[in-house]
Amino acid sequence: MTRADAEAGTDDIPLAKPVIGEAEERAVLEVLRSGRLSLGPRVPAFEEAFARRVGARHACAVSSGTTGLHLALRAVGVGAGDEVVTSPLSFVASANAPLFERARPVFADIDPVTLCLDPDAAAAAIGGRTAALLPVHIFGYPADVAALERHGLPIVEDACEALGACHADGTPVGGRGHPAVFGFYANKQITTGEGGMVTLGSAEHKVRIDSERNQGRAPDMGWLDHDRLGFNHRLSDIACALGLAQLERLDDMLAARARVAGWYREALAGLVVERALVLPCPDANGDRRGWFVFVVQLPADADRDATVVGLRELGVQSKPYLPAIHLMSFYRERFGHRPGEFPVCERVAAASLALPFFPQMSEAQVARVAEALGRVIAA
Ligand SMILES: Cc1ncc(COP(=O)(O)O)c(C=O)c1O
């Protein structure tokens, strides 16, 4: 057993782990005892606290990041036959969301450093049918939204991975006035189990999304009259109470994630020099990442599947993350996508591996992961 093993223990190190404490338990219990489990006071309370946090005028709590993307695209007017320019390096939901409205996702390649949508590639993909741009703040790094704003098209930001990130001009991600969608799945910066939030600058969008998440009901309308098509994309009071408690500890959790990332950077420095391992890009030009995952790009000669198996045998979980969306079987079959269309994305996607990353991770655990990765890559 190595020194790192001894200090970090030998239990499996998971990929992610939410921080849930007594404050969350108390908040949820209070709701359960109140009897108002849905459509109660925690929903606006969570929305207002979240909007304040990212400097947005409004926010709508929704059942997931995916449903938030759907409602945000509807709000900016995306419909059948439209095109939405977006990134192929993302979780599949950002590309699927336009399809819910029979619009088409049009991919453009990514920047090789930030891994977000390349503004020049996006500009080249804009055409007569483009109804919106959908940048993704991937792995918590802020996409260059300012460059995309020059086109004057509606923008919907996928900020599901980017709570706590900040643009170079000091605007928090989610605070630029475009609909921006956050996700609260259990691995995110804050979690409600499942859930999401759409932040907005437009009061009109707020009214529309509030209604469409709630079966198309207008705020002043009785239960049985609905003036538009709607969905059940609501977030419960139980979930909102959990979200409020999580928001209280957000600064601490973000700081802890950043600290873990710093330990990784030091522990993996040798592999960067000796084996050309690529680490997440450091903050640059004033942009600031909201740490979400720690994704490395393996050396070209490393076998990623064998690396995952080797790490698992050493008690370290890891995951190929993220695959290129256009090469998923559904997208190949539906749209005829083929390898070679987006070479930067494809190269990054083929080499990427997410390592364990969560706020409670100790320096010894990081050392154990780094040591295991070194051993497996060398084998
Ligand atoms: C970039 C991105 N977009 C969208 C989503 C979808 O969010 P949810 O799982 O809450 O529907 C996620 C969540 O994993 C994500 O990482």
Side-chain angles (χ1 to χ4, degrees), residues 305-317:
D305 291 341
T307 304
V308 172
V309 172
L311 286 174
R312 194 186 307 136
E313 281 165 4
L314 294 170
V316 173
Q317 291 188 14

Side-chain angles (χ1 to χ4, degrees), residues 73 77-87 94-108 125-127 129-134 325-326 330-338 341-342:
L73 286 172
V78 169
D82 287 340
E83 292 182 351
V84 176
V85 174
T86 191
S87 169
S94 53
N96 283 348
L99 294 172
F100 301 157
E101 290 300 315
R102 287 180 289 140
R104 180 185 171 136
V106 172
F107 298 113
I126 291 172
R129 288 175 176 240
T130 307
L133 309 177
L134 202 170
I325 297 175
H326 65 289
F330 170 75
Y331 278 88
R332 283 186 195 229
E333 282 158 29
R334 175 88 170 255
F335 299 107
H337 287 300
R338 291 288 172 266
E341 282 180 80
F342 307 106

Side-chain angles (χ1 to χ4, degrees), residues 143-325:
D144 191 351
V145 178
L148 299 175
E149 283 165 351
R150 292 184 199 126
H151 301 289
L153 286 161
I155 293 178
V156 169
E157 300 176 39
D158 183 336
C160 283
E161 302 191 349
L163 181 54
C166 209
H167 293 285
D169 64 0
T171 326
V173 163
R176 290 188 84 83
H178 314 290
V181 183
F182 294 83
F184 305 139
Y185 178 68
N187 64 346
K188 296 297 195 297
Q189 288 91 343
I190 67 168
T191 185
T192 58
E194 299 282 358
M197 189 72 77
V198 188
T199 58
L200 300 159
S202 150
E204 212 176 295
H205 287 165
K206 164 78 177 154
V207 170
R208 179 164 178 179
I209 293 178
D210 278 357
S211 168
E212 290 190 353
R213 76 175 168 190
N214 190 22
Q215 311 283 10
R217 187 184 173 205
D220 57 350
M221 212 178 255
W223 270 111
L224 299 176
D225 195 10
H226 298 254
D227 63 357
R228 64 178 102 204
L229 176 68
F231 309 87
N232 182 350
H233 288 344
R234 295 189 302 262
L235 192 62
S236 73
D237 271 55
I238 305 169
C240 288
L242 190 49
L244 275 165
Q246 289 267 285
L247 210 48
E248 287 282 311
R249 53 163 103 236
L250 176 61
D251 284 330
D252 288 346
M253 292 196 293
L254 286 173
R257 281 180 187 267
R259 196 164 52 238
V260 173
W263 290 333
Y264 262 127
R265 219 171 266 297
E266 284 172 26
L268 294 172
L271 285 179
V272 171
V273 175
E274 289 152 26
R275 298 301 314 275
L277 184 79
V278 177
L279 304 186
C281 69
D283 292 347
N285 308 319
D287 285 329
R288 219 172 57 227
R289 189 191 295 268
W291 277 100
F292 166 55
V293 278
F294 199 89
V295 174
V296 297
Q297 292 167 50
L298 295 178
D301 60 346
D303 178 332
R304 185 170 57 177
D305 291 341
T307 304
V308 172
V309 172
L311 286 174
R312 194 186 307 136
E313 281 165 4
L314 294 170
V316 173
Q317 291 188 14
S318 64
K319 193 173 184 176
Y321 187 87
L322 283 158
I325 297 175

